[in-house]
Amino acid sequence: MQFPESWLRSFCNPALNTQELAELLTMSGLEVEELRPVAPPFHGIVVAEILTAEQHPNADKLRVCTVNAGGAEPLQIVCGAPNARAGIKVPLAMVGAELPPGEDGKPFGIKVGKLRGVESFGMLCSARELKLSEDHGGLLELAPDAPIGQNIREHLKLDDTLFTLKLTPNLAHALSVYGIAREVSALTGAPLQAPAFTPAEVKHQDKLPVRIEASDLCGRFSGRIVRGVNTQAQTPAWMVDRLARCGQRSVSPLVDISNYVMFELGRPSHIFDLDKIDGELVVRWGRQGEQLKLLNGNTIEVDESVGVIADNKAVESLAGIMGGDHTAVSDDTKNVYVEAAFWWPKAVMGRSRRYNFSTDAGHRFERGVDPAQTVEHIERITQLILEVCGGEAAAMDDQITALPERKPVTLRVARAAKVIGMPLTQAQCAGVFKRLGLEFAEGEGTLTVTPPSFRFDIQIEEDLIEEVIRVLGYPNLPDTPPLAPVVGKVASESRRAVHALRHALAGRDYYETINFSFVEARWEKELAGNDSPIQLLNPIAAPLAVMRSSLIGSLINALRYNLSRKAPRVRLFEIGRVFLRDATVVESDTTITGVRQPMRVAGLAFGPADQPQWSQRDRGIDFFDVKGDLEALFAPRQLRFVAAEHPALHPGRSARVELDGEDIGVIGELHPKWRQGYELPSAPIVFELALDAVLARRLPQGQGVPRQQSVQRDIAVVVGESVTHEALMTTIAGAHDGLIRSARLFDVFKPTQAGGDLKEGERSMAVRLELLDDEATLTDERIEQAVAAVLAALAQHLGARLRG
């Protein structure tokens, strides 16, 4: 929120300079984001009146003006502005004056000059030349009553400072100059000049029929007819200046008055052209298919979730956000209807963003606007309309359906002292609440506060504790060291840290990537097989409209980004959250009803398996390279890879990853149709695993050095082509009495044509067995028995036979 310091001080003027005031506001929670002067430094510029303006004898676009600047004699000024004419008052830079610095950073000095043979003793200035605005259409015309010779900085009050506040969403009561002044008064004790709402003289009893059909949309609706207004009137210069310094341009008198009261008191309102309203106004929820052309020129379509104000023919306004074009005031308007209402914050929240725009009114209503003073604020608007535009005011119409209930909140003084960290008395807390204008009742060690109508942020005890310390002042907190010993929390050794996992993956040549949790719906459907992903109500971009249920799509997109920048070899991983529908999840501090949010780790490998080197040929990455990375990541735990299908992966080159019999993820080559669909030169290998399973690890257990020597035996068995390595090893592991410590496949042989010991559809698999008994030396007999048991098991379970 932006406003001039002078406007704030008109309500509350504490004995603080600008910097001290900004520091006070920031330390009280109203962060001052920027301070900047209304105008840059310049001097020697005064109010002057053009007495005559004659055509230059040697130039068509120049005029020779005689100017009264309050001196003994008029000055001759040569000017090229199109609006230079006799009778107007404008800024004059006298000889010796300095204009604001230009692009080179140096001030522009004014000297006696000669333009096309005619001397000029100064310079008439535009607003752009004074750096007051970008308007360069002509001279800056001043008010007719501007005192001639007065310093322009004094006349336009340019020695003022613009405050820009960065307010958090809970500070709705500070979204006005008066609201901030109320805070300054409470913080400093300086008197607050409360505005007086003098009821307008009622000239007639006309009332526009208004019907509220949705009490959950509008809790209070106040309005008044004003007849005979002059919309051709000029907005007062003081109002135009204040609006401009709040970042709002002047539009027309009625619009300016409405905006002015919004900045002054925080009350958005709307002024209808009464003669364009058909019959009555109805406050209700929209209906499917209804359309409304807004004041900004956009035509929108409303539905049952959007609040509207309608008449007997059509929708005329978007409730709490923006008025409609049809009933907007214009130069032909004679009679108006002034409306001020209380719209429930939840009924306004997010509606403007749904149509890709935002308004000052919606910004305030979705945070909460005081429902108790709609009538008083209409009186203020009426007062300004009658002063500026004239007219006759009708009786007030005020309808109340449902107002927010302000539940009492109790503050325990002992609890507040403990949370704040310094001693507090009940009298101190009571003093703070009095300064803030909060009604309270005292008990033994407690104060029960009833929040006023304009405070939507006081709901729990911690809100009151915050009010106490910010008014007492954060600088008053004592500097005390902690009394308790600071001991680092030791993580369990059975679980590795996420950062350690990042290091491990980086050690395998993977680079971490961080992506949005919202992705394209196409990725979800094609790469995750998710036809109904969780939709975003307010996506940051149209394509990124759903929450991801898999990390694979994000990695594929990152790969495409790298390939478009000519990266030949890409290794990526991401640790992130996915979002799955799950009806068993209930609402809590960390969960959302119906949505499970597990953490996953996913990786992608593309391009050559290794960096180019002279000792080996280039080879593309394959399934077994990434499988080896996962086995190294989990070592010494053993993973099991089971052939499986996944929507994103090649049907014959993908597997389910199992750990201790549990499914923890997938690994495989990207499906050919997605490789083609995403325009990849070759298929990457991807994996996605549950993060908890990756982080879990077994504690190391010590083993003694073997006292006996191990024995190795090689066997070659003939099996069918359908027999897998896993089946072979599983059978061997279950076929002995503990003598075989390891089994390793070291050769696979399949002849080009059938013959010898091998028939068609068979192959030979050679395995090296390691046998060891810690207690006794192995004998040939025991060794042969163990090998025979292995061969018998292979024959029984896999149909294997010993190769001759």
Side-chain angles (χ1 to χ4, degrees), residues 647-668:
L649 304 180
H650 192 299
R653 300 176 186 175
S654 59
R656 182 175 70 251
V657 183
E658 294 184 357
L659 178 65
D660 299 332
E662 292 187 7
D663 180 7
I664 64 168
V666 294
I667 179 176

Side-chain angles (χ1 to χ4, degrees), residues 429-679:
C429 298
V432 167
F433 296 154
K434 287 178 182 177
R435 290 163 64 178
L436 290 170
L438 306 180
E439 296 182 0
F440 62 92
E442 295 194 52
E444 187 174 347
T446 63
L447 294 97
T448 301
V449 174
T450 301
S453 58
F454 58 86
R455 292 299 296 267
F456 286 77
D457 59 323
I458 299 178
Q459 299 178 2
I460 58 177
E461 184 180 16
E462 283 72 14
D463 296 329
L464 294 177
I465 295 174
E466 179 188 5
E467 295 299 303
V468 170
I469 184 55
R470 76 181 187 88
V471 173
L472 292 179
Y474 291 108
N476 294 323
L477 287 171
D479 296 329
T480 55
L483 300 178
V486 179
V487 181
K489 184 179 179 181
V490 180
S492 171
E493 293 185 8
S494 63
R495 182 181 175 87
R496 84 173 120 187
V498 175
H499 203 60
L501 174 61
R502 290 189 172 98
H503 276 284
L505 285 165
R508 305 297 299 179
D509 211 14
Y510 289 81
Y511 288 84
E512 184 174 13
T513 179
I514 301 174
N515 299 288
F516 287 129
S517 294
F518 23 89
V519 297
E520 294 187 29
R522 174 193 174 189
W523 303 354
E524 281 297 297
K525 183 176 181 179
E526 296 178 348
L527 301 177
N530 185 4
D531 291 326
S532 60
I534 300 170
Q535 299 284 337
L536 284 169
L537 294 178
N538 183 32
I540 63 170
L544 307 180
V546 301
M547 301 302 291
R548 64 183 179 184
S549 63
S550 171
L551 305 182
I552 294 177
S554 300
L555 292 177
I556 297 296
N557 190 55
L559 171 63
R560 296 177 64 197
Y561 181 88
N562 281 269
L563 292 179
S564 67
R565 285 150 183 81
K566 307 301 180 183
R569 184 174 184 270
V570 180
R571 302 286 188 279
L572 301 172
F573 79 92
E574 181 178 5
I575 299 174
R577 196 175 298 280
V578 297
F579 303 84
L580 310 171
R581 296 186 185 275
D582 188 342
T584 63
V585 178
V586 297
E587 186 82 17
S588 72
D589 293 339
T590 57
T591 59
I592 299 173
T593 302
V595 179
R596 186 161 53 89
Q597 306 174 46
M599 293 289 290
R600 300 264 181 88
V601 56
L604 176 148
F606 174 89
D610 295 298
Q611 297 288 356
Q613 54 179 297
W614 62 269
S615 64
Q616 65 181 25
R617 294 180 179 179
D618 289 343
R619 177 178 64 83
I621 195 79
D622 61 21
F623 176 91
F624 297 99
D625 291 312
V626 179
K627 174 176 176 287
D629 289 336
L630 293 188
E631 289 175 332
L633 195 65
F634 279 83
R637 293 182 297 169
Q638 297 293 319
L639 294 177
R640 185 167 178 259
F641 297 87
V642 182
E645 293 188 2
H646 185 276
L649 304 180
H650 192 299
R653 300 176 186 175
S654 59
R656 182 175 70 251
V657 183
E658 294 184 357
L659 178 65
D660 299 332
E662 292 187 7
D663 180 7
I664 64 168
V666 294
I667 179 176
E669 181 181 302
L670 187 67
H671 199 290
K673 66 179 179 181
W674 305 139
R675 180 198 65 76
Q676 184 177 5
Y678 290 94
E679 300 177 347

Side-chain angles (χ1 to χ4, degrees), residues 278-299:
D278 185 8
E280 63 176 355
L281 290 182
V282 181
V283 180
R284 58 174 172 80
W285 293 104
R287 296 165 185 160
Q288 193 70 41
E290 288 183 322
Q291 291 188 337
L292 168 65
K293 184 178 181 182
L294 297 169
L295 290 173
N296 61 8
N298 294 347
T299 299

Side-chain angles (χ1 to χ4, degrees), residues 603-767:
L604 176 148
F606 174 89
D610 295 298
Q611 297 288 356
Q613 54 179 297
W614 62 269
S615 64
Q616 65 181 25
R617 294 180 179 179
D618 289 343
R619 177 178 64 83
I621 195 79
D622 61 21
F623 176 91
F624 297 99
D625 291 312
V626 179
K627 174 176 176 287
D629 289 336
L630 293 188
E631 289 175 332
L633 195 65
F634 279 83
R637 293 182 297 169
Q638 297 293 319
L639 294 177
R640 185 167 178 259
F641 297 87
V642 182
E645 293 188 2
H646 185 276
L649 304 180
H650 192 299
R653 300 176 186 175
S654 59
R656 182 175 70 251
V657 183
E658 294 184 357
L659 178 65
D660 299 332
E662 292 187 7
D663 180 7
I664 64 168
V666 294
I667 179 176
E669 181 181 302
L670 187 67
H671 199 290
K673 66 179 179 181
W674 305 139
R675 180 198 65 76
Q676 184 177 5
Y678 290 94
E679 300 177 347
L680 302 177
S682 60
I685 309 299
V686 297
F687 67 86
E688 184 174 21
L689 307 173
L691 182 63
D692 288 340
V694 182
L695 296 181
R697 63 182 179 181
R698 293 174 183 169
L699 295 178
Q701 296 179 351
Q703 291 182 344
V705 178
R707 292 176 293 175
Q708 306 295 331
Q709 186 174 356
S710 63
V711 175
Q712 293 182 346
R713 289 289 187 271
D714 294 344
I715 60 173
V717 293
V718 178
V719 296
E721 288 186 355
S722 61
V723 176
T724 63
H725 170 268
E726 181 184 358
L728 185 70
M729 293 301 154
T730 302
T731 303
I732 293 174
H736 60 86
D737 56 358
L739 291 184
I740 299 179
R741 292 300 176 91
S742 67
R744 183 178 183 85
L745 179 71
F746 67 88
D747 182 56
V748 176
F749 172 71
K750 181 179 179 181
T752 56
Q753 59 183 4
D757 292 340
L758 300 180
K759 301 176 183 178
E760 186 176 354
E762 292 183 334
R763 59 180 172 175
S764 171
M765 303 179 74
V767 180

Side-chain angles (χ1 to χ4, degrees), residues 44-171:
I45 302 175
V46 299
V47 176
E49 181 180 11
I50 300 178
L51 301 178
T52 63
E54 305 293 339
Q55 185 67 42
H56 193 289
N58 301 320
D60 293 338
K61 294 185 178 180
L62 296 178
R63 288 186 174 87
V64 180
C65 302
T66 304
V67 177
N68 177 16
E73 296 182 358
L75 301 175
Q76 178 175 281
I77 309 292
V78 179
C79 176
N83 63 335
R85 64 187 186 277
I88 65 172
K89 293 181 179 180
V90 294
L92 169 64
M94 308 283 285
V95 174
E98 285 190 351
L99 293 179
E103 294 181 358
D104 58 358
K106 298 179 181 180
F108 181 73
I110 302 298
K111 301 176 182 178
V112 176
K114 184 175 289 188
L115 282 78
R116 295 290 183 93
V118 178
E119 285 190 316
S120 180
F121 298 89
M123 174 181 170
L124 301 179
C125 302
S126 67
R128 185 175 181 182
E129 288 161 339
L130 297 180
K131 299 292 180 68
L132 301 181
S133 73
E134 292 300 317
D135 182 13
H136 196 47
L139 300 176
L140 174 60
E141 297 189 26
L142 305 175
D145 59 350
I148 296 175
Q150 185 181 29
N151 188 302
I152 197 69
R153 298 192 72 91
E154 179 183 350
H155 174 68
L156 295 179
K157 296 181 176 60
L158 299 182
D159 294 322
D160 199 356
T161 303
L162 297 183
F163 279 61
T164 301
L165 268 57
K166 185 179 181 180
L167 300 176
T168 52
N170 63 315
L171 299 177

